[in-house]
Amino acid sequence: MTAQSEGIVIVPEGAIADLIDADASFEAVESVFAAMSRGDAYNFPVIREAIGHEDALYGFKGGFDKSGMALGLKAGGYWPNNLEKRGLINHQSTVFLFDPDTGKVKAMVGGNLLTALRTAASSSVSIKHLAREDSKVLGMIGAGHQATFQLRTALKHRNFEKVIGWNYHPDMLPNIEKIATEAGLPFEAVDLPGMVEADVIISITSAFSASLMADHVSPGTHIAAMGTDTKGKQEVDAALVAKATVFTDEIAQSISIGEAQHAIADGSITESDIAEIGAVINGTHKGRTSADEITLFDGTGVGLQDLAVAAKVVDLAVEKGVAQRVDF
Ligand code: NAD
């Protein structure tokens, strides 16, 4: 990005959809995961606080990618009452980018759609690198805002023939059925034991106790556990995490705020049992080694993903001549 001498670039939330798509987000996220594993990019410790107002969780995720020269943070979080009370989505966030040479702020970018795109990109990177090539049935646990993005992007990465879904609130299942139908695939609502039919399972809920148990999953399945991004949250039983080969975006987050926190706490796995997905992308970890292995990607969501997609958006806005600049 070359805009620092010309003021801050502002890309409002409403402009993002016309600038970046699922494919560009996938490339940005895959590349920053690889940079993390090479040691070229690192995340700062996450701040995430229950603010005692509107049941909101608010915080900051930041980092520095030396290879992409992206420095900054995403500020925001999760307001569970937004949709019902105000017709707003529950996630609200903004990304700020800074010039790594001077510390001057460079850009302010709407982070809501970007969060959904970079999170969907993350599970899809795991599917590309860890799911069996012959995967046919995609299982969805969750049917909220993120789930629709997760499903739409995942369908690009294997030749899925069917989507099955379970949600704690069954009335929300039409949200994901619609995406499957748009893609020309049959959709079936199942109970949790019905997930044994799935070759790939994406879990993206705000649950604080496990839904997916070891006997709900067949050998050879790839699980992308995407909802657990805070201490105390849980979607997958610790016994299933212990049974799987575990990969993550960042090990420090996986063991503290990710799905692996519970298996770590009960001692059934240790930190050394978890590998970075970036190592698989870079070819320094072999990834899946057999058709029977259960692989689990603990997608905790790192600040560098947000910076990667936001930097891409700013570049695209400048390139297309639609960047709004403000003196600062
Ligand atoms: P949403 O409010 O739109 O949907 C919430 C989903 O969770 C729904 O499917 C709902 O039925 C389900 N749910 C609610 N209570 C449940 C319970 N007790 N047990 C099981 N399921 C339950 O939220 P969203 O925007 O789709 O986000 C879903 C989750 O994903 C949140 O927890 C959010 O923090 C997390 N998230 C993670 C990342 C990441 O990078 N890992 C990024 C964005 C969001």
Side-chain angles (χ1 to χ4, degrees):
M1 199 187 107
T2 55
Q4 67 271 27
S5 56
E6 298 159 38
I8 306 177
V9 170
I10 296 190
V11 188
E13 186 61 47
I16 307 285
D18 289 337
L19 288 168
I20 189 164
D21 59 12
D23 294 341
S25 305
F26 181 94
E27 275 170 34
V29 168
E30 186 180 46
S31 145
V32 83
F33 283 164
M36 282 166 57
S37 254
R38 288 194 312 268
D40 288 341
Y42 75 107
N43 293 287
F44 307 154
V46 174
I47 308 264
R48 197 158 162 93
E49 295 286 321
I51 60 171
H53 179 70
E54 289 287 355
D55 295 326
L57 291 171
Y58 171 75
F60 315 103
K61 282 186 170 183
F64 179 40
D65 174 5
K66 211 169 182 176
S67 59
M69 287 302 267
L71 172 70
L73 61 90
K74 176 169 82 169
Y78 188 70
W79 275 256
N81 306 322
N82 269 3
L83 188 60
E84 225 164 273
K85 276 194 180 172
R86 301 183 175 86
L88 296 171
I89 63 166
N90 293 343
H91 278 100
Q92 291 296 330
S93 59
T94 308
V95 181
F96 299 88
L97 296 174
F98 296 82
D99 182 343
D101 294 330
T102 64
K104 278 193 67 156
V105 64
K106 291 207 304 193
M108 180 170 132
V109 183
N112 295 351
L113 177 57
L114 285 185
T115 297
L117 287 171
R118 66 74 145 153
T119 307
S122 174
S123 60
S124 279
V125 167
S126 84
I127 291 168
K128 174 181 164 186
H129 292 280
L130 295 171
R132 290 185 348 262
E133 288 295 338
D134 64 351
S135 296
K136 297 281 180 248
V137 178
L138 175 56
M140 291 296 303
I141 296 181
H145 182 71
Q146 303 295 329
T148 59
F149 288 87
Q150 292 283 318
L151 175 54
R152 197 178 285 117
T153 306
L155 291 177
K156 292 168 175 271
H157 294 280
R158 287 292 182 271
N159 292 320
F160 290 110
E161 293 175 354
K162 181 181 177 184
V163 179
I164 61 177
W166 177 87
N167 194 45
Y168 185 72
H169 302 104
D171 54 311
M172 293 170 78
L173 282 171
N175 293 342
I176 52 171
E177 177 169 16
K178 185 166 170 272
I179 309 292
T181 307
E182 277 167 13
L185 295 179
F187 176 84
E188 190 188 330
V190 295
D191 56 11
L192 284 163
M195 282 290 154
V196 288
E197 200 194 334
D199 302 301
V200 173
I201 299 172
I202 299 176
S203 183
I204 183 102
T205 71
S206 46
F208 278 80
S209 60
S211 306
L212 193 67
M213 303 293 163
D215 60 356
H216 299 157
V217 175
S218 295
T221 302
H222 173 62
I223 304 162
M226 304 303 297
T228 298
D229 55 0
T230 303
K231 199 168 170 48
K233 280 191 182 174
Q234 187 173 16
E235 301 187 289
V236 178
D237 190 39
L240 175 52
V241 174
K243 196 174 164 187
T245 310
V246 183
F247 300 84
T248 188
D249 40 25
E250 194 195 68
I251 291 168
Q253 286 199 182
S254 174
I255 63 173
S256 56
I257 59 169
E259 198 59 60
Q261 63 180 288
H262 306 287
I264 290 280
D266 74 14
S268 51
I269 65 167
T270 64
E271 193 173 330
S272 61
D273 294 318
I274 307 173
E276 278 187 348
I277 189 73
V280 183
I281 298 167
N282 290 335
T284 55
H285 187 291
K286 50 194 179 318
R288 167 179 291 280
T289 53
S290 82
D292 282 348
E293 187 177 7
I294 295 173
T295 51
L296 183 143
F297 175 65
D298 185 3
T300 65
V302 294
L304 283 170
Q305 284 170 256
D306 298 297
L307 305 190
V309 288
K312 184 80 194 162
V313 158
V314 172
D315 284 346
L316 290 166
V318 171
E319 225 173 273
K320 294 185 176 178
V322 298
Q324 297 179 20
R325 295 175 194 278
V326 174
D327 283 337
F328 188 75

